[in-house]
Amino acid sequence: MGLFDRIRGGDDDPRVAFFGIDGVPYSLIADNPGEFENLTALIEEGSGGAIDSIVPPESSACWPSLTSGVNPGETGIYGFQDREVGSYDTYVPMRRDFQATRVWDRVQQAGRDATVMNVVTTFPPQRDVQRMVSGFLSPGVDKAAYPDEFRDHLQGMDYPIDVNAGLGKKDKGEFMENAHETLDKRQEAFKHYIEEDDWDLFFGVYMATDRVNHFLFRDHDHDGEYAEEFIEFYRKVDRYLGELREMLPDDVTMMVASDHGFTTLDYEVNCNAWLREQGYLTYGDGPDYVFQLGAWLREGGDLEIDPDYAGDVDELVDPDTLDIDYEGGALVAETADGRDEAVGALEDASPAVVDDSGGSVTAVAVDSVDVDTHLVENEDDEETSEEYHVEADLVKVTGSAYVDGNTVVALTEDDRDEIADALDGATPASLGIDRTDSTELFDDVSVSETDDAYHVTVTAADGVDLGTDLDPDRNVLEHTHGELGDIADGTTVYSLIPGRFYVNLEGREPRGSVPEEEYEEVRAELKEELETLEGPNGEPVASQVVTKEEAFRGDHDDIAPDLVVVPNHGFDLKSGFKGRKDPFVEYGARNGMHSFDNATLVVDDEDVRISDVDLYDIAPTILSLMDIDYERGEFDGSSLV
């Protein structure tokens, strides 16, 4: 084995080169030996098999556990979103939130060197290892790589931190081009530092595999449009791993592993939507959505908004008709009643059409009304009185339609029909804002006609407010509730991704509603409901529902979820707080999901045991292969050699 067999100054300590293939299921390799010639040869000459992931099987929690050999109760990282202790504030955990000891730290402590590349939750990079570039969620190589010469080399080769996953939702062809480019750059960097041959542990991760699986796994499983692109990508992954194996000196053991398995996605399960339906979760006062009609017309190209229009209030209201003064662009009232009358008159007069010729309308509307109170001295005595200056910021809108309260005024029948059809039955999903949310936004859409225009009037559904803000940067649909902190005091259970359920416990949560003496009863009831929950296809959602005591232990389990659902294949557990999503939504652009089972472990050593294995066994196995001592009780797993 090996392209060259170097003698490293008499140092004969064994070394390890670990290559992570994020999210690659072992069955993909085993079922396609012709496409994975190099990995198949590695398995036949060494050891390989399917292993279990951890609870929950999410990359940001998996890699900390894989690289430390301990569970999230020790690492302190449970997912891509964790909750602050004693708070409803959430954060994205990174390296500084990690509380355990990584395998490369143990290597460095043993007086040996480690090169670490592209591991999740390692930003910012450590400065006490040989070299490190952080992985997913890092802002860029300039901040994610250490030391300087390492950073400079990676920048010089345009090293990307991750695939642009956003392309997968827009254009899968372009997405795959980006995935190949990212994989190629990763390989170029890996090969360069493998050739340096100055490390004792090389630890590098290909994250692009997870990205491709999310967007193309169903295509592979069901011979879809991108099935060939999927397998072509994996032929390259296999070829690249073969190249690395050939480069490794004879004193190096090669390991290849994934952090979780993968399977086809059938339904996304919106856990907080389900909790809301079951009465476990409620939100505070106020609507769920604010729908901005003006922004909607703007997005559809029906009007343009000029926010810098320098008009005055007399364009909307004639001061003489109000029997009040007009000074410097403001209506001036001497009494509170006159002030209120002036404000009401401006609001009633907005919008005012100033031109409706040529199939287009130009209207002036109020953006905001301001009232300044002035103290005025009486000429006859020294007393003062209040005087109210009513001003308004105006905007001008031009187009084929405009907004008047809860009505869209259109100039032509075609515009009327198009607008009415689009609003009738409108949902966040139909508007292209949130494909998982099919909430009806309007109870009624009615059409009427005047001599010169058509009026499309909408009645907002329960939980929806209509907005009148004509700010050109305004979003069409605004979610009033979007964060964990928006839950109401009476909420008994909430969820964080992926499938983590928390009892809103008195004394632990800031607004806990469940007394400690009722905790076990609430949790047991919820566990039973989750265990019997079925999807639209009649299949059970949960493979298992795990309690915190079963899954987590350690000094940092104070933010551990009370229950975790490990889903059956086909169900991906989501936990957003926005809107009133449907609990079950069919797959979209993302058509693959993580699995707890069927992760991959391959070792270029025929004596390695691969049975009854999970991620916790990998770190102690690396140390054993490197002849680095450790205490057995330091890990939740055990060495496989």
Side-chain angles (χ1 to χ4, degrees), residues 255-270:
M255 297 180 69
V256 179
S258 62
D259 56 328
H260 51 74
F262 237 89
T263 187
T264 295
L265 170 62
D266 296 320
Y267 293 97
E268 290 184 355
V269 185
N270 296 304

Side-chain angles (χ1 to χ4, degrees), residues 286-603:
D288 287 317
Y289 314 86
V290 177
F291 184 88
Q292 300 285 355
L293 277 171
W296 179 74
L297 288 174
R298 181 201 69 216
E299 288 289 314
D302 295 298
L303 64 78
E304 294 182 0
I305 301 172
D306 177 9
D308 299 319
Y309 179 64
D312 290 323
V313 295
D314 61 344
E315 290 193 52
L316 292 177
V317 174
D318 182 355
D320 293 337
T321 64
L322 298 178
D323 194 26
I324 59 177
D325 293 333
Y326 180 68
E327 296 177 7
L331 299 172
V332 181
E334 296 180 352
T335 66
D337 287 344
R339 173 200 63 195
D340 295 343
E341 183 180 359
V343 171
L346 281 172
E347 293 175 343
D348 290 342
S350 172
V353 175
V354 296
D355 182 32
D356 60 354
S357 60
S360 178
V361 64
T362 299
V364 175
V366 171
D367 184 32
S368 63
V369 176
D370 298 313
V371 179
D372 289 332
T373 302
H374 295 237
L375 291 178
V376 180
E377 290 188 6
N378 270 319
E379 296 180 0
D380 299 333
D381 52 45
E382 295 182 357
E383 291 186 2
T384 60
S385 61
E386 291 183 340
E387 186 176 85
Y388 305 98
H389 290 232
V390 180
E391 301 174 327
D393 288 330
L394 304 181
V395 296
K396 182 184 284 187
V397 294
T398 305
S400 59
Y402 64 95
V403 178
D404 186 359
N406 65 339
T407 297
V408 177
V409 183
L411 296 188
T412 69
E413 290 187 29
D414 287 345
D415 287 327
R416 174 202 66 189
D417 294 343
E418 182 180 334
I419 289 168
D421 288 345
L423 291 173
D424 189 22
T427 68
S430 71
L431 295 172
I433 295 171
D434 186 343
R435 63 168 293 273
T436 69
D437 192 344
S438 60
T439 303
E440 294 275 352
L441 297 173
F442 308 113
D443 282 341
D444 183 64
V445 178
S446 60
V447 178
S448 60
E449 182 178 348
T450 60
D451 292 339
D452 56 355
Y454 302 92
H455 298 251
V456 181
T457 302
V458 295
T459 303
D462 181 45
V464 180
D465 279 357
L466 293 177
T468 59
D469 195 333
L470 289 174
D471 185 329
D473 296 324
R474 204 71 174 186
N475 292 325
V476 173
L477 190 68
E478 297 164 342
H479 296 279
T480 306
H481 308 305
E483 299 177 351
L484 172 58
D486 294 327
I487 64 173
D489 294 355
T491 290
T492 55
V493 181
Y494 60 89
S495 175
L496 295 178
I497 193 171
R500 292 177 286 158
F501 291 81
Y502 297 79
V503 175
N504 193 30
L505 185 62
E506 271 186 8
R508 186 182 69 181
E509 270 76 1
R511 292 180 277 112
S513 64
V514 178
E516 187 171 351
E517 61 269 21
E518 297 178 14
Y519 169 80
E520 290 295 349
E521 179 183 352
V522 170
R523 186 170 71 159
E525 175 188 279
L526 176 64
K527 185 174 186 290
E528 182 178 355
E529 291 194 39
L530 289 168
E531 287 172 337
T532 58
L533 178 62
E534 293 183 350
N537 55 5
E539 296 295 322
V541 170
S543 168
Q544 52 182 315
V545 181
V546 184
T547 66
K548 65 183 296 183
E549 293 82 5
E550 294 170 322
F552 312 114
R553 55 204 167 276
D555 295 334
H556 309 288
D557 62 358
D558 42 8
I559 58 170
D562 299 298
L563 294 172
V564 180
V565 174
V566 178
N568 274 312
H569 288 193
F571 296 102
D572 194 10
L573 306 184
K574 303 296 185 184
S575 297
F577 291 91
K578 291 182 179 179
R580 287 179 283 178
K581 298 169 182 272
D582 294 332
F584 294 95
V585 179
E586 288 190 0
Y587 68 90
R590 286 167 56 100
N591 59 38
M593 55 164 281
H594 298 185
S595 68
F596 169 77
D597 62 328
N598 202 21
T600 295
L601 178 60
V602 180
V603 186

Side-chain angles (χ1 to χ4, degrees), residues 20 55 69 92 118 163 230 284 287 385 413 479 581 583 612:
V55 176
V92 177
N118 244 74
V163 177
F230 178 90
S385 61
E413 290 187 29
H479 296 279
K581 298 169 182 272
D612 191 26

